Amino acid sequence: MQPQKQSHNHLLHKTISRFLTLCALLGTALNARAAETVEQHAPIVLKTCVEYAYNYTYGHYGNLDFIAAIPLNRYCDMGVGVQASTANIYSAMANVCPKFPVRVGEFFVDTRFIYRAVVRSTTHDLSAMVSLGYRMDYISLQFGALARMMDDMNREWQSEDKIMVEPVNLLYAIEVFVRPQSSRWNLSFRMANFNDFRTERMWQPMFMINTHCLVADHWRMLAGVELKPTGMFHLDASFYEAMARVGFAYEF
C-alpha cells in the first residue's frame, strides 16, 4: 500500500506544479499583451471567481477560477483560464473567437479547448469544440460539435490500452438577457451543455442564471447560480449538482 500512496502523492505534486507553471505563464502573457495594447485602447478583462458547489459524486467542494479575455483585434478575441477545485480537480481552457458584425448583432465562430486533470481518480480528459453563434442585445445562440478523449494518468505510453474517445456530441448554448448586453448591469438565463471549464453530453444541459454590475470605473461585480440535473433529453431529470458563484472583473 505504501508504494501506491507515494505514487499518488508524487502524481499530485506533479499536477500542482504544472498547474502553478500554467498560472505563471498566463500572468506573463497578460503583462506582455497589456503593454502592447495600451496605445490601442483595447480592453483586456481579467475575471476571478470563487464557487461553492454540491453534487452526489464529490459532496461539498469549492472552486477558484481565473479567466482572461484578450482582444487580438477588432474582429477576433481569445480567452484563457485556469481553475483549481478542492475536489482535487484542475482545469485549463483556451479559446479563439473570430467575430463577423452584421447590420443587427454579430456572428461568431468559437473554437475552444478544455483540459481537466481529475487527480482524485487519476484520469484526465481533453475536450475540443467548434461552434457557430449569433448574438444581439437580448439573446445569444450557439450550436456546434464537441469531441472528448479520456485517459488514465498512470497509463504507460507503450501500453496497448487505448485512449477512450467519445462519439462527437452536439454543442449548444442559448442565453437570454433582460437588458442590452452593453448595459451597466444585466441578468441572463442560460441553458448549455458546457461552461468555462466543463463539458457535458448533449442530453445533460446545465441551467444558469448570471448577473453582473459595474460598481466603479474598471470594476464589475459578478454572481451566478448553476443547476445540473442528471439529464433531461433522455427523460431523466433528477437533481445532481448545484453551484453558486461570486467574483469580480477588472477591465484595463
Side-chain angles (χ1 to χ4, degrees):
M1 295 298 293
Q2 189 66 24
Q4 292 181 354
K5 183 177 180 181
Q6 292 178 353
S7 176
H8 181 75
N9 289 338
H10 176 72
L11 179 61
L12 174 60
H13 293 158
K14 184 169 65 172
T15 302
I16 293 176
S17 176
R18 290 176 177 176
F19 182 77
L20 294 177
T21 301
L22 180 60
C23 291
L25 292 175
L26 172 60
T28 302
L30 286 174
N31 287 334
R33 178 59 183 163
E36 293 175 0
T37 58
V38 167
E39 295 183 357
Q40 301 174 10
H41 305 286
I44 298 174
V45 180
L46 181 63
K47 298 190 295 184
T48 182
C49 295
V50 291
E51 301 170 342
Y52 165 76
Y54 172 82
N55 68 33
Y56 286 153
T57 303
Y58 306 140
H60 301 274
Y61 68 97
N63 300 327
L64 178 62
D65 304 349
F66 295 97
I67 301 175
I70 307 170
L72 300 179
N73 55 51
R74 181 182 176 185
Y75 299 105
C76 187
D77 297 333
M78 73 170 291
V80 291
V82 291
Q83 181 187 76
S85 173
T86 60
N88 213 3
I89 301 173
Y90 306 90
S91 306
M93 62 78 67
N95 81 303
V96 177
C97 187
K99 302 177 293 184
F100 308 94
V102 292
R103 182 180 296 273
V104 178
E106 67 179 10
F107 289 94
F108 60 93
V109 178
D110 186 14
T111 303
R112 183 178 300 260
F113 297 91
I114 299 176
Y115 171 76
R116 299 174 75 236
V118 188
V119 179
R120 61 182 295 142
S121 57
T122 66
T123 62
H124 53 174
D125 61 76
L126 176 67
S127 298
M129 296 159 278
V130 61
S131 59
L132 174 65
Y134 172 76
R135 57 187 165 220
M136 53 186 298
D137 280 345
Y138 293 96
I139 193 169
S140 177
L141 304 172
Q142 197 170 342
F143 296 95
L146 157 68
R148 179 166 57 181
M149 58 183 182
M150 295 168 282
D151 197 12
D152 190 325
M153 288 182 174
N154 295 322
R155 185 178 71 88
E156 299 292 339
W157 289 109
Q158 67 271 20
S159 170
E160 295 183 358
D161 296 335
K162 294 182 179 180
I163 296 174
M164 179 179 176
V165 179
E166 290 188 342
V168 175
N169 257 278
L170 173 68
L171 183 80
Y172 58 88
I174 302 171
E175 189 167 13
V176 178
F177 301 84
V178 300
R179 306 188 71 200
Q181 295 189 42
S182 59
S183 302
R184 290 177 59 89
W185 70 268
N186 213 334
L187 178 70
S188 70
F189 303 88
R190 174 182 169 97
M191 181 183 75
N193 64 333
F194 71 97
N195 60 20
D196 289 323
F197 297 102
R198 186 169 65 181
T199 60
E200 299 291 349
R201 296 176 178 88
M202 62 175 292
W203 59 83
Q204 295 177 302
M206 293 175 277
F207 298 91
M208 291 156 268
I209 301 176
N210 297 307
T211 185
H212 66 81
C213 180
L214 187 66
V215 295
D217 289 344
H218 305 289
W219 292 95
R220 191 177 297 273
M221 296 300 298
L222 312 171
V225 293
E226 182 177 310
L227 177 65
K228 180 182 179 296
T230 54
M232 179 177 174
F233 301 128
H234 58 17
L235 304 182
D236 179 6
S238 58
F239 166 80
Y240 175 72
E241 179 180 74
M243 178 184 296
R245 176 187 305 110
V246 294
F248 66 87
Y250 181 77
E251 300 178 1
F252 59 96

